[in-house]
């Protein structure tokens, strides 16, 4: 009986230790990514994340204020559009975000956006979709002039972040080419 209690205690300690190791591993960048800026285009910074010398993803972002910015990321499997704004990372739960381009709110779409860290660990509110088919927002991102994100901030109510997309067509193409030309 005493041996069973010791075995159960050791098993529980092992499982707790394993869970802590998994949490620690999840907090580290995947496969020890190396992130490097490779270009600047107007207000946009273009980066690529590599592991073992191979490009894993490329992104383009611009920060418009402290902790406020927009980001487009591409990898072989998926594309994402992300933003950072007032309290957008205050809660790690998925958030409903209304998105529209230019001043065309009549065509707004509501998306469930998750909180995802980029390869450097900065948290962005993200809409990620598989690359198996084109997405309307990608065409709009690369060809229109503004994007609006409206979401609820706890204790504040509805909040809107607006980003100017000047130069987004070029960075959209460069970001995709960064990954595709590497493979």
């Amino acid at each position: 009986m005493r041996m069973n209690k010791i075995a159960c205690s050791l098993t529980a300690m092992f499982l707790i230790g394993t869970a802590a190791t998994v949490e620690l591993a999840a907090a580290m960048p995947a496969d020890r990514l190396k992130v490097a800026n490779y270009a600047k285009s107007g207000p946009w910074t273009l980066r690529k994340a590599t592991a073992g010398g191979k490009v894993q993803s490329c992104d383009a972002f611009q920060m418009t204020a402290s902790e406020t910015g927009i980001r487009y990321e591409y990898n072989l499997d998926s594309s994402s559009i992300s933003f950072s704004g007032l309290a957008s990372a205050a809660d790690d739960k998925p958030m409903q975000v209304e998105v529209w381009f230019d001043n065309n709110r009549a065509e707004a779409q509501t998306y469930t956006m998750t909180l995802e860290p980029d390869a450097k660990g900065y948290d962005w509110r993200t809409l990620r979709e598989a690359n198996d088919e084109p997405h309307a927002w990608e065409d709009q991102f690369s060809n229109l002039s503004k994007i609006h994100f409206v979401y609820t901030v706890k204790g504040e109510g509805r909040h809107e972040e607006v980003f100017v997309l000047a130069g987004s067509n070029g960075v959209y193409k460069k970001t995709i080419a960064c990954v595709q030309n590497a493979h």
Side-chain angles (χ1 to χ4, degrees):
M1 177 90 158
R2 182 166 160 74
M3 284 304 268
N4 283 344
K5 285 184 179 179
I6 291 171
C8 286
S9 294
L10 289 173
T11 302
M13 287 172 49
F14 173 76
L15 291 174
I16 290 169
T18 301
T21 302
V22 169
E23 277 185 27
L24 181 62
M28 293 173 34
D31 199 24
R32 299 179 191 212
L33 292 173
K34 291 184 181 179
V35 182
N37 295 353
Y38 72 90
K40 190 91 168 126
S41 181
W44 297 90
T45 299
L46 288 84
R47 305 182 291 194
K48 63 180 161 185
T50 59
K54 294 184 179 185
V55 174
Q56 303 299 308
S57 68
C58 294
D59 69 353
F61 72 95
Q62 62 170 298
M63 299 305 288
T64 57
S66 175
E67 299 185 20
T68 303
I70 185 166
R71 175 176 177 258
Y72 173 75
E73 189 239 0
Y74 183 87
N75 64 49
L76 288 176
D77 299 320
S78 64
S79 302
S80 68
I81 189 163
S82 309
F83 75 95
S84 177
L86 175 69
S88 64
D91 189 346
D92 63 354
K93 293 180 184 137
M95 175 189 292
Q96 294 299 111
V97 180
E98 187 179 9
V99 180
W100 72 91
F101 291 85
D102 290 343
N103 293 318
N104 195 359
R105 191 167 190 170
E107 292 195 20
Q109 297 288 318
T110 299
Y111 298 100
T112 300
M113 296 180 79
T114 58
L115 193 62
E116 284 186 22
D118 64 16
K120 286 277 206 178
Y122 186 83
D123 287 327
W124 297 87
R125 190 54 61 180
T126 303
L127 169 62
R128 178 170 302 283
E129 296 189 294
N131 287 338
D132 56 357
E133 59 184 69
H135 310 289
W137 62 262
E138 286 182 302
D139 185 50
Q140 294 168 321
F141 170 79
S142 65
N143 292 302
L144 297 177
S145 60
K146 282 191 287 189
I147 187 170
H148 303 254
F149 296 97
V150 176
Y151 56 100
T152 301
V153 174
K154 189 174 183 176
E156 301 270 332
R158 302 288 283 164
H159 178 75
E160 181 177 356
E161 292 288 349
V162 181
F163 298 97
V164 174
L165 298 175
S168 62
N169 188 286
V171 298
Y172 171 79
K173 291 175 183 174
K174 289 175 185 174
T175 301
I176 293 171
C178 171
V179 173
Q180 290 181 344
N181 292 341
H183 291 271

